[in-house]
Amino acid sequence: MSAPLLVVDEVSKSFAEIHALHEVSLTIHQGDIVGLVGSNGAGKTTLLRLLSGVYRPSSGSVHLGDGKSISTARHAIGVVPENTGLYSRLTAWENIRYHARMQGIDDDEAWKRTLYFSRYLGMEDSLQRHTKGFSRGMRQKTALLRALAHAPKVLLLDEPTAGLDVTSARTVRELVKQLGEEGGTVIYSTHQLAEAERVCNRIIIIHNGEVRADGTPQELLNITGQPNLEEAYVALTSDVARERMEDSKPLKGVAKWWRSFFTPRLPKGVDEDE
Amino acid sequence: MSDRLHRVRVIAKKELVEFVRDWRTIVAILVIPLLMFPVLFILFPLLLASEAAELDALMLDVVVQSENATSEMGLNFNDSKMNVTYEPLPVIEELSAPGIDDARLRNGSIDLLIRLRANGSVTEYALIYMSTSEQSLEARSRALATLSQWEENETIQRITDAGLDPDETLDPLRWNGDVASSDVATQGEQAGMALSLFIPLVLAVWTFSSAIQPSIDMTAGERERGTLEALLALPASRMELLMGKWLAVATITGIGVLLQVAGLLFAIGYLASSNFISLPEISLAALGLLVLAVLLFAVMVVAFELALAMRSHSVKEAGSILGPAVLLILFPALFTQVINLDGIETYWFAIPVVNVLLALRELLMNRIVGLHIITWLASSLLYAIGAAWYAARQFKREDIVTSLS
């Protein structure tokens, strides 16, 4: 096994009184194509944001294999967030160039890499177009090109095929596989176990903020003794899933009182009426 | 160039490129301020003058109700472009009571009703008009001019008949010399005084209001569109992000304010050519301090607005906070206009917003008072640092990555 590339060391993350992640430890090696699988609110996005340095751990640490904290080594990471995060008044190439410049990469180098991958994704003719009219698939491909332009050591993809048509989803999956074959490292968050099975050589099942299993698909079957991955997943996550938490903040005081005026009450049940 | 500065510049440049590609924002923030004062000071007076000339050329319909012919009194309303019809005076106690003539004024068949009645040696009169009609007001004004002239002639005649000198009797206290030359303030100083009453107000309000839209777009807008997460994952600190965005908003606001001042100066130049107002006399030092005061104010205001917008989850939320926040500038700005600058206490120059506005007023009047300058400079610097610190805190919040969408 190659040397660790990215280390998550007993990381916990809380938002006020909500514990989004609890003592998560992972070691990512070069060439790993990791599928981060879990239900809504499991903690996948929180973990990805910790890996990209957007969030700081409440306890524990996220660092590169050489010990550098991720907050000071963000150039090693390429991120494709769930909603792609493209600027609609900029062209696809301007979006890519903006991030490349922020990474300290010169335009020629970024352009070479962008051309290389855009041919693969069928995006060469769209690089000069404003992203405003882009389909979901084109946005996703542009975000992928943007994340790859500075040659990151680890690529983080948050639900990269969600909402894509069959062809676009397939193209994205094939690119991820190709990156893996070339020795790249990808962490790929998804709801779809079947997708993770097709693309990834390692699957991490995350549930209620905890890592429930981590291994190759075969190792997961061996751990659970189940005949297929779906059954294995159900066995590992049989407790009730919590709702997505970190984005919602309960209303308090006057705001709660005021909102109550405009919130309809649920109709009474039939039994109650009678 | 260090990496930090490079990233700040890249962020600011990208924000500016996005800004200039939206023509509606360009119109709202750059074109309108440029044209506002020329339109207000040049086109609007021209329009008013044209309307006044049109009104002046109108023949107006007037009815004179009197007991005897006005020509016997020496009154001639026909000279004032009025079609005059004479009627006998109805039997009424008070001349000013419109009575049944109210309808004629309301339906526009006449513009003015003049009533005259002799009461001993005095002539009583009343002008029945309709204040909501331009023509009626104009007719009243012309009639008053004719009546005043008649009254003046009659007064002189009566004084003469009494064996007195009308000039000495009516004007026993007289000014000697040229009124304008008795004011030791130069025309340039007077212009500075006049401009100091509204330029600080315009600068303050426009700086604040023109920064609102770009501040919201670059923070809450970015948050709402979901573009912030990818940006936060880049190797730029939150301070660099704030600095880049601040630089972009400050550039846009600065250009907007400069264009507005250019428009204002053009309008003043136009008015000066017609001797309406002179150009203000401002020393180079006062001009430099004036720019510094505006710059410090812009640092504070833009940082404050970026912070408030960054706290908001959506563009709508940010707009509903920053819109009313204009009042935080407007009220002190209006209040500052009435503060007497002669013998003003120094502490006024330490109050936020008020300090910069007072500084601008003083500087436009070319008054350089050391203690005042130190006070507003130190306090403005302090407030600017405070606002920047507050903005930095907001940019360091982890929840800025989440959005309503």
Side-chain angles (χ1 to χ4, degrees):
Chain A
M1 190 175 279
S2 58
L5 195 59
L6 189 61
V7 178
V8 179
D9 189 11
E10 294 197 348
V11 163
S12 294
K13 181 65 187 172
S14 302
F15 299 95
E17 292 160 9
I18 300 163
H19 304 294
L21 280 182
H22 182 64
E23 293 184 355
V24 171
S25 291
L26 299 168
T27 303
I28 310 292
H29 298 91
Q30 188 176 353
D32 279 355
I33 305 293
V34 181
L36 203 57
V37 183
S39 56
N40 279 331
K44 302 187 300 293
T45 299
T46 302
L47 181 56
L48 286 179
R49 286 174 179 170
L50 283 160
L51 293 177
S52 64
V54 171
Y55 284 163
R56 290 176 294 275
S58 303
S59 64
S61 68
V62 181
H63 53 86
L64 296 183
D66 60 9
K68 269 188 190 166
S69 167
I70 202 69
S71 58
T72 56
R74 290 190 199 166
H75 55 273
I77 308 288
V79 180
V80 178
E82 190 178 351
N83 54 16
T84 70
L86 297 180
Y87 297 100
S88 58
R89 283 181 226 138
L90 301 185
T91 64
W93 164 238
E94 282 175 323
N95 268 286
I96 296 162
R97 192 181 62 178
Y98 175 46
H99 276 230
R101 284 178 175 177
M102 291 290 285
Q103 295 280 7
I105 304 295
D106 72 56
D107 292 357
D108 289 344
E109 197 183 331
W111 177 245
K112 272 183 207 159
R113 283 186 62 83
T114 301
L115 263 189
Y116 173 75
F117 287 110
S118 65
R119 283 188 190 121
Y120 191 87
L121 293 169
M123 284 288 290
E124 317 94 291
D125 298 333
S126 304
L127 292 173
Q128 275 300 84
R129 281 176 55 194
H130 285 90
T131 59
K132 194 173 184 179
F134 275 15
S135 64
R136 168 80 191 167
M138 287 171 80
R139 295 181 71 80
Q140 198 68 41
K141 288 173 187 174
T142 309
L144 263 168
L145 291 172
R146 185 184 65 187
L148 289 165
H150 67 286
K153 288 181 181 167
V154 182
L155 186 63
L156 306 179
L157 308 178
D158 195 358
E159 312 274 359
T161 56
L164 296 196
D165 61 66
V166 176
T167 316
S168 298
R170 187 174 176 167
T171 311
V172 170
R173 279 196 298 267
E174 283 176 358
L175 177 69
V176 173
K177 276 187 193 169
Q178 193 200 326
L179 288 170
E181 284 163 15
E182 290 174 3
T185 308
V186 181
I187 300 176
Y188 188 110
S189 129
T190 179
H191 293 100
Q192 307 295 327
L193 195 60
E195 181 164 299
E197 196 179 356
R198 268 192 281 177
V199 178
C200 307
N201 54 26
R202 179 178 166 192
I203 293 174
I204 294 172
I205 292 178
I206 188 163
H207 188 68
N208 288 353
E210 295 171 350
V211 171
R212 294 291 170 91
D214 179 358
T216 62
Q218 189 55 50
E219 283 170 346
L220 260 59
L221 294 178
N222 294 342
I223 293 165
T224 56
Q226 298 294 330
N228 57 56
L229 275 179
E230 191 174 315
E231 294 298 333
Y233 178 83
V234 172
L236 287 163
T237 61
S238 55
D239 49 326
V240 177
R242 66 188 184 189
E243 289 179 4
R244 191 180 171 103
M245 292 178 301
E246 72 267 31
D247 297 354
S248 57
K249 209 173 174 182
L251 291 175
K252 285 180 189 169
V254 178
K256 187 179 176 184
W257 170 79
W258 180 250
R259 182 74 65 89
S260 70
F261 281 104
F262 307 101
T263 307
R265 290 187 180 178
L266 290 174
K268 286 184 180 174
V270 176
D271 292 344
E272 219 174 323
D273 264 351
E274 288 169 356
Chain B
M1 192 192 302
S2 75
D3 288 350
R4 283 171 180 273
L5 275 178
H6 167 75
R7 287 192 290 263
V8 168
R9 198 175 64 90
V10 169
I11 294 167
K13 195 175 166 188
K14 173 253 158 195
E15 298 293 355
L16 289 170
V17 166
E18 273 209 296
F19 175 80
V20 296
R21 286 189 182 164
D22 183 12
W23 66 268
R24 283 162 294 202
T25 322
I26 295 274
V27 169
I29 297 179
L30 302 182
V31 179
I32 290 175
L34 180 67
L35 298 179
M36 195 167 85
F37 284 113
V39 167
L40 203 65
F41 287 169
I42 301 171
L43 279 185
F44 189 59
L46 284 176
L47 181 73
L48 282 182
S50 132
E51 282 298 304
E54 200 176 296
L55 202 59
D56 202 39
L58 277 179
M59 285 296 285
L60 301 169
D61 296 318
V62 174
V63 168
V64 177
Q65 295 178 340
S66 64
E67 291 162 333
N68 48 5
T70 51
S71 54
E72 288 173 21
M73 296 166 63
L75 266 169
N76 187 2
F77 292 108
N78 290 315
D79 288 349
S80 312
K81 289 185 192 158
M82 296 198 280
N83 295 320
V84 183
T85 311
Y86 294 94
E87 291 178 1
L89 187 68
V91 181
I92 46 173
E93 197 165 320
E94 278 193 353
L95 294 183
S96 61
I100 56 166
D101 294 311
D102 170 285
R104 288 198 283 176
L105 281 156
R106 286 193 170 279
N107 66 25
S109 59
I110 62 168
D111 297 310
L112 180 71
L113 178 63
I114 303 170
R115 285 181 181 152
L116 296 163
R117 181 170 64 191
N119 184 3
S121 59
V122 173
T123 302
E124 293 172 336
Y125 80 102
L127 303 177
I128 317 295
Y129 71 109
M130 196 158 133
S131 65
T132 51
S133 158
E134 288 285 329
Q135 290 193 192
S136 188
L137 279 174
E138 175 66 15
R140 181 174 181 267
S141 156
R142 292 183 199 175
L144 275 174
T146 307
L147 288 168
S148 294
Q149 188 58 54
W150 178 84
E151 188 184 29
E152 194 182 326
N153 295 340
E154 184 65 17
T155 307
I156 290 168
Q157 185 59 51
R158 291 187 187 188
I159 290 170
T160 310
D161 292 349
L164 295 169
D165 177 63
D167 201 26
E168 283 177 5
T169 310
L170 292 173
D171 195 12
L173 179 68
R174 293 177 202 184
W175 179 270
N176 182 254
D178 177 24
V179 175
S181 66
S182 64
D183 185 357
V184 294
T186 64
Q187 283 196 319
E189 285 169 337
Q190 289 173 38
M193 169 79 176
L195 293 178
S196 77
L197 292 175
F198 68 97
I199 283 191
L201 182 79
V202 168
L203 281 175
V205 172
W206 191 258
T207 304
F208 192 92
S209 56
S210 65
I212 290 178
Q213 201 276 336
S215 294
I216 292 176
D217 188 60
M218 291 177 203
T219 51
E222 188 140 19
R223 193 172 171 177
E224 188 173 279
R225 292 188 294 271
T227 50
L228 207 52
E229 184 176 349
L231 190 61
L232 294 174
L234 292 170
S237 70
R238 305 278 174 112
M239 269 311 279
E240 288 164 25
L241 202 62
L242 169 64
M243 290 290 288
K245 285 176 184 290
W246 180 89
L247 193 60
V249 179
T251 305
I252 294 162
T253 306
I255 293 172
V257 171
L258 278 177
L259 288 174
Q260 194 174 40
V261 172
L264 178 64
L265 292 177
F266 173 76
I268 290 170
Y270 176 84
L271 295 175
S273 68
S274 56
N275 292 326
F276 186 82
I277 190 170
S278 297
L279 290 174
E281 284 170 10
I282 304 175
S283 67
L284 215 58
L287 200 65
L289 286 166
L290 204 136
V291 172
L292 187 63
V294 174
L295 192 70
L296 283 172
F297 182 69
V299 171
M300 181 188 80
V301 162
V302 173
F304 181 64
E305 288 185 35
L306 280 171
L308 287 183
M310 191 44 114
R311 279 186 69 89
S312 312
H313 290 85
S314 65
V315 169
K316 186 181 167 191
E317 190 181 323
S320 60
I321 292 170
L322 285 177
V326 177
L327 298 176
L328 291 176
I329 301 292
L330 192 62
F331 284 144
L334 288 171
F335 178 65
T336 308
Q337 302 309 302
V338 297
I339 295 176
N340 180 13
L341 287 180
D342 296 328
I344 185 171
E345 294 88 348
T346 306
Y347 67 80
W348 285 106
F349 289 86
I351 299 171
V353 183
V354 172
N355 59 349
V356 171
L357 290 158
L358 286 173
L360 294 178
R361 277 190 64 193
E362 273 201 343
L363 294 167
L364 278 165
M365 292 165 71
N366 209 20
R367 290 186 188 182
I368 300 181
V369 184
L371 188 60
H372 292 174
I373 291 170
I374 290 167
T375 310
W376 66 252
L377 202 60
S379 58
S380 295
L381 206 60
L382 197 69
Y383 298 137
I385 291 168
W389 173 81
Y390 180 60
R393 274 195 59 173
Q394 300 314 313
F395 269 67
K396 283 178 182 167
R397 287 161 61 119
E398 284 198 324
D399 64 349
I400 61 171
V401 76
T402 61
S403 75
L404 293 178
S405 60

